[in-house]
Amino acid sequence: MYAFVITTSKGLDDLLMQEIGRLCPHLQLKNKPGQVLFEGELKDAYYLCLWSRLANRVLVKLAEGDCQDAEQLYQLASSINWAAQFNVTDSFVVDFIGTSKSINNSQFGALKVKDAVVDQFQELYERRPNVSKDNPAIRIQCRLWRDKLGIYLDLSGGSLHQRHYRLKAGQAPVKEHIAAAMLYRSGWTADMHQPLADPMCGAGTIVIEAALMAANQAPALLRSQWGFSHWKKHQSDIWETLLNEAEQAVVSPARQFYANDIDPAMVQLARQNAGAAGVADLIQFSNADASKWQCSSAPGYLVTNPPYGERLGELTELLPLFNDWGLQLKQQFAGWHLSVLTSNRDLLRQMKLVAGKEYQILNGKLECQLVNFVLDEKNCEIRESSQAGQDFANRLSKNLQKLKGWIKQLDSNCYRIYDADLPEYNLAIDRYGDWVVVQEYAAPKNIPEGKTRKRLMDAMLQLPKVLGVEHDKIVLKVRQQQKGKEQYEKFASEKEFIQVWENGARFWVNLKDYLDTGLFLDHRSTRQMVRQWSKNADVLNLFAYTGSVSVHAALGGAKTVTTVDMSRTYLDWAKRNFELNKFNNVYQYRFLQENCLEWLKGHHQQYDLIFIDPPSFSNSKRMQSTWDVQRDHLAMLADAKRCLRKGGKLVFSNNLRQFKLDEQGVAELGLRFENISADTLPEDFKRNPKIHHCWLLTHAQ
């Protein structure tokens, strides 16, 4: 008798226990999270290696004991007669899972076990077996829980979820054993004569697994390498008998499987994978949008793993897809059962279906739910379109109507059309040519996340029809307070830039990769003022970001423009904006990558016009100390005054809502100040007068 551990993904241990109970009903089983344990014969382990659709690994225990320190770990590993397990000529590897107070690094644990193995062989044969991580003949697995260690031989030799028919996988594929779990949980396996379809099949894994089940083909029949092949206790006669029996057990089921995907390349890949699995003839493949796809079969089971929308920007395209798909299901799939794996229940709600049972499944590292629906008469009622988000749609329409005349006169294709006008829809919405950028302000902590997400979904569904834009031209971001280097961190890496225009200037904007787009729309009027004041002036732009103020200064006829920012990324962006506007004189236009505050302290050149728009707060690693605009603005203005010529202008702006200018301190610096915030507020930002503060400072006479 041997002691075995069968592992699977967390959340599937109960299902695995049921499966093993069906395959080997004579065994006494018990389960732990992600594991099923039993004592049995080697034949039982071989049978599960071959037939379990849910197992990841089949492990046979070699030793178990206390492991309170590294020495005890070494001694336990040394207690095993390794020469009785494999030859010195066989390569091996040690997988170590778990940590404790004394063994707090799994790599260290694996190293100690490896040392015990090779030391034993060295003492016996005066040679050491090789360690191979890529293709070892023997795989040892150690599982540490608190101060107890189990040492096992991995009979499977690698995860059993790999059936060796999948030539390639698409994006975010579902693993084979997860697909099998979905089929079990869907209810289809109770009667596998019923049709099975996947309308978003990707690489085809779910339908292929179903076809293998219906064909009674052992899931591991295609595997050629096993962890027991070089094990000295391997009983090849038993294995060969089981293998022959499995080959004889394969049957030919009806052609009742359907795989569809919107991407023709994925359909082709699914077809190739099915061919490698030997079930291509059982599956009918099609290439169509799931929200338009129809199946000619009698009602059966739809089991699918659609996109989850884990990335915020994906929601703009997925929301209407699920909304349309729900309508298609009601119209074309009455009587079917539906099982959907998702990590985003908000998307499923767009289908407007009443869910039945649901099960927790860990798909990789994502906590998902498999949600079952019955498309019965009640669920297939075509309900009138929900009024969810209608208040938001009405307000957005009113805003557009109100701004209509102003937009027609505006010399720009970038403007704001909504700014948290309704508290429950806490969004800012900006237009950039044909594109729309939606920024969701982080909700207060006392508002449930589910409620804010539902509001967001409702709003996102309304946007395309109100604004007349395509779903794929809507970009969604979450805005919250940014500190230090977070101001410069990327959201994505698509590097997709588009050109926009404003009052004769052209700019590159990037709507997806960063929190901000490269153009602060609330400073449109401020930039116009700078342009008007720049004629024949030496202009300094500090904290310049992408240089939009500098471009307008150049367009206004500035004698020189000096653009200073700490970020190389944004400074290069500013240079590209200058090139776009055909300003290429390196002597007239300077770009400096500097810590603006430190640079200003040691700078003595004089300027006729200085523009300063610092962050509210920063703790960047490139700064010697933190920066707080409320606390530190006076010292900065003192340094700036030294560089301001008599009769010159200094424009100081920031967007800290509670900011208060130290008027007495500014006066003591010998500066006259005028609050020009209202004059710098464009029409599309007047709903939110505290979007920024702006002052014009000049030398006191």
Side-chain angles (χ1 to χ4, degrees):
M1 295 284 283
Y2 294 89
F4 297 101
V5 173
I6 317 297
T7 69
T8 189
S9 297
K10 287 184 179 179
L12 297 186
D13 41 278
D14 183 58
L15 198 59
L16 174 63
M17 191 169 179
Q18 294 174 33
E19 182 191 53
I20 295 175
R22 292 192 302 271
L23 294 172
C24 303
H26 59 283
L27 296 176
Q28 297 295 315
L29 308 173
K30 59 180 180 179
N31 67 334
K32 293 181 178 180
Q35 304 174 37
V36 175
L37 299 83
F38 64 88
E39 291 185 354
E41 302 296 336
L42 201 54
K43 180 179 179 180
D44 299 321
Y46 287 162
Y47 195 71
L48 293 176
C49 279
L50 192 56
W51 281 100
S52 175
R53 301 182 190 277
L54 299 173
N56 279 338
R57 295 181 187 272
V58 175
L59 310 173
V60 59
K61 186 164 67 177
L62 302 179
E64 186 177 65
D66 293 333
C67 180
Q68 297 182 359
D69 54 39
E71 181 58 29
Q72 210 168 25
L73 168 62
Y74 182 88
Q75 291 301 327
L76 182 62
S78 298
S79 70
I80 300 169
N81 183 355
W82 291 107
Q85 307 299 328
F86 63 96
N87 290 315
V88 70
T89 54
D90 294 324
S91 61
F92 77 102
V93 72
V94 179
D95 299 321
F96 200 98
I97 298 171
T99 58
S100 64
K101 288 184 179 179
S102 56
I103 313 297
N104 57 13
N105 185 293
S106 59
Q107 290 182 333
F108 172 75
L111 182 63
K112 295 298 289 184
V113 175
K114 184 269 293 181
D115 288 344
V117 174
V118 297
D119 288 351
Q120 192 179 108
F121 275 103
Q122 181 70 34
E123 186 175 342
L124 284 171
Y125 302 110
E126 295 186 350
R127 63 179 293 190
R128 300 154 60 101
N130 292 327
V131 174
S132 172
K133 293 183 179 180
D134 295 330
N135 191 27
I138 296 292
R139 187 174 287 273
I140 300 164
Q141 186 170 119
C142 303
R143 303 179 75 87
L144 178 63
W145 172 250
R146 294 178 179 171
D147 291 329
K148 289 285 186 182
L149 178 70
I151 302 178
Y152 304 87
L153 186 82
D154 184 353
L155 298 180
S156 42
S159 182
L160 289 171
H161 86 266
Q162 296 175 331
R163 317 285 204 229
H164 295 277
Y165 63 72
R166 198 155 69 175
L167 306 176
K168 290 182 180 179
Q171 290 185 345
V174 63
K175 290 182 178 179
E176 292 90 324
H177 74 299
I178 299 295
M182 293 169 63
L183 292 165
Y184 282 131
R185 292 298 196 197
S186 72
W188 174 78
T189 54
D191 181 5
M192 291 187 287
H193 293 95
Q194 297 185 76
L196 190 288
D198 184 350
M200 304 182 203
C201 71
T205 307
I206 294 172
V207 176
I208 293 171
E209 285 295 311
L212 291 173
M213 286 182 178
N216 198 37
Q217 180 172 318
L221 201 56
L222 298 177
R223 290 175 69 97
S224 58
Q225 291 186 320
W226 291 95
F228 51 69
S229 298
H230 294 268
W231 185 38
K232 285 188 174 181
K233 297 182 181 181
H234 171 45
Q235 298 181 25
S236 58
D237 55 336
I238 295 177
W239 173 247
E240 290 299 328
T241 298
L242 292 175
L243 203 58
N244 290 332
E245 289 175 352
E247 290 173 349
Q248 295 299 318
V250 178
V251 299
S252 298
R255 191 169 186 250
Q256 57 188 7
F257 302 95
Y258 304 86
N260 175 78
D261 200 272
I262 193 171
D263 185 349
M266 294 309 300
V267 175
Q268 181 62 24
L269 177 57
R271 195 189 303 272
Q272 292 172 356
N273 287 339
V279 294
D281 291 342
L282 302 178
I283 303 170
Q284 296 183 38
F285 296 92
S286 58
N287 169 216
D289 185 333
S291 64
K292 298 180 177 64
W293 178 66
Q294 299 180 33
C295 184
S296 58
S297 169
Y301 284 76
L302 296 163
V303 183
T304 191
N305 174 44
Y308 300 161
E310 281 299 309
R311 290 191 306 157
L312 203 57
E314 294 173 340
L315 288 176
T316 59
E317 296 183 49
L318 293 181
L319 282 169
L321 168 63
F322 277 77
N323 188 62
D324 295 344
W325 186 38
L327 185 61
Q328 175 75 354
L329 289 170
K330 294 174 184 181
Q331 293 175 334
Q332 302 295 334
F333 289 90
W336 286 70
H337 294 259
L338 170 68
S339 296
V340 183
L341 186 67
T342 186
S343 66
N344 189 341
R345 288 300 300 272
D346 293 309
L347 282 174
L348 296 197
R349 291 188 183 96
Q350 306 309 314
M351 298 193 297
K352 301 175 180 64
L353 294 171
V354 178
K357 287 187 177 181
E358 60 180 82
Y359 303 91
Q360 301 299 314
I361 293 181
L362 197 67
N363 186 15
K365 295 182 179 180
L366 278 180
E367 294 182 2
C368 298
Q369 300 86 41
L370 181 73
V371 186
N372 289 343
F373 303 87
V374 178
L375 299 175
D376 53 18
E377 185 177 345
K378 183 178 179 181
N379 239 341
C380 287
E381 290 178 1
I382 308 298
R383 303 177 182 93
E384 292 185 9
S385 59
S386 172
Q387 293 301 305
Q390 195 58 51
D391 291 344
F392 167 79
N394 292 340
R395 176 55 67 94
L396 193 59
S397 297
K398 288 180 180 178
N399 286 358
L400 288 173
Q401 187 62 33
K402 183 179 178 181
L403 292 171
K404 185 177 180 181
W406 174 81
I407 292 172
K408 191 174 291 187
Q409 297 177 11
L410 181 67
D411 189 11
S412 177
N413 61 346
C414 306
Y415 48 88
R416 177 154 294 184
I417 51 182
Y418 178 92
D419 197 352
D421 299 35
L422 301 176
E424 58 268 36
Y425 295 98
N426 200 19
L427 310 170
I429 302 175
D430 297 319
R431 190 92 192 217
Y432 288 85
D434 296 332
W435 290 77
V436 172
V437 175
V438 181
Q439 299 176 68
E440 182 192 24
Y441 295 114
K445 293 182 179 179
N446 62 334
I447 298 180
E449 182 182 354
K451 188 174 182 179
T452 60
R453 284 187 69 85
K454 183 181 184 305
R455 295 284 190 180
L456 175 62
M457 304 287 181
D458 294 342
M460 295 302 293
L461 269 176
Q462 297 288 349
L463 277 175
K465 51 189 173 186
V466 176
L467 300 181
V469 295
E470 297 296 326
H471 297 289
D472 58 359
K473 291 288 183 76
I474 300 176
V475 180
L476 176 61
K477 303 175 183 178
V478 172
R479 175 174 286 281
Q480 52 193 351
Q481 184 179 2
Q482 301 291 300
K483 295 185 177 182
K485 66 178 183 179
E486 291 177 356
Q487 301 166 72
Y488 301 105
E489 285 185 347
K490 284 191 169 187
F491 275 43
S493 298
E494 299 191 21
K495 298 180 180 178
E496 184 178 339
F497 287 81
I498 64 170
Q499 283 187 39
V500 295
W501 46 273
E502 173 194 280
N503 297 317
R506 290 193 170 273
F507 298 107
W508 291 110
V509 294
N510 184 318
L511 307 183
K512 298 179 180 179
D513 291 353
Y514 300 88
L515 177 62
D516 292 309
T517 64
L519 186 66
F520 294 130
L521 303 187
D522 61 302
H523 271 306
R524 189 188 308 110
S525 300
T526 316
R527 289 189 285 270
Q528 275 297 89
M529 287 183 176
V530 169
R531 180 170 177 167
Q532 293 166 8
W533 294 333
S534 294
K535 185 70 172 176
N536 296 322
D538 292 311
V539 179
L540 172 63
N541 182 12
L542 289 172
F543 305 97
Y545 188 38
T546 61
S548 57
V549 168
S550 298
V551 168
H552 275 285
L555 286 169
K559 186 190 303 181
T560 64
V561 181
T562 302
T563 302
V564 187
D565 197 273
M566 189 163 58
S567 166
R568 169 56 60 188
T569 297
Y570 288 139
L571 207 63
D572 289 342
W573 196 334
K575 291 178 182 178
R576 290 185 63 209
N577 280 335
F578 264 69
E579 292 169 0
L580 185 61
N581 289 277
K582 305 192 185 314
F583 295 122
N584 299 301
N585 190 324
V586 294
Y587 300 103
Q588 189 176 5
Y589 309 117
R590 293 196 304 158
F591 300 88
L592 305 176
Q593 184 187 7
E594 299 284 353
N595 176 336
C596 294
L597 297 171
E598 295 299 321
W599 179 83
L600 190 60
K601 285 180 185 297
H603 191 63
H604 298 283
Q605 188 172 331
Q606 298 279 292
Y607 299 90
D608 302 293
L609 178 59
I610 301 175
F611 180 79
I612 307 179
D613 184 25
S616 299
F617 178 84
S618 181
N619 59 357
S620 170
K621 290 181 180 179
R622 295 196 62 192
M623 298 178 65
Q624 295 180 359
S625 61
T626 62
W627 156 265
D628 184 296
V629 70
Q630 184 63 70
R631 180 191 67 199
D632 302 322
H633 71 277
L634 200 62
M636 178 190 68
L637 292 176
D639 292 332
K641 182 206 170 188
R642 190 181 61 255
C643 298
L644 185 65
R645 286 195 180 107
K646 293 293 183 181
K649 294 179 173 68
L650 192 159
V651 180
F652 168 50
S653 174
N654 71 79
N655 63 352
L656 179 65
R657 295 199 172 205
Q658 298 81 25
F659 181 80
K660 300 292 182 185
L661 184 71
D662 186 347
E663 296 182 354
Q664 180 178 342
V666 171
E668 290 174 356
L669 289 177
L671 289 171
R672 182 182 293 119
F673 57 88
E674 176 187 356
N675 190 334
I676 59 172
S677 300
D679 296 332
T680 62
L681 201 63
E683 183 68 27
D684 47 335
F685 284 88
K686 286 186 176 177
R687 298 185 301 280
N688 185 4
K690 291 187 177 180
I691 189 73
H692 69 239
H693 308 279
C694 197
W695 285 267
L696 177 63
L697 294 91
T698 55
H699 284 284
Q701 298 300 325

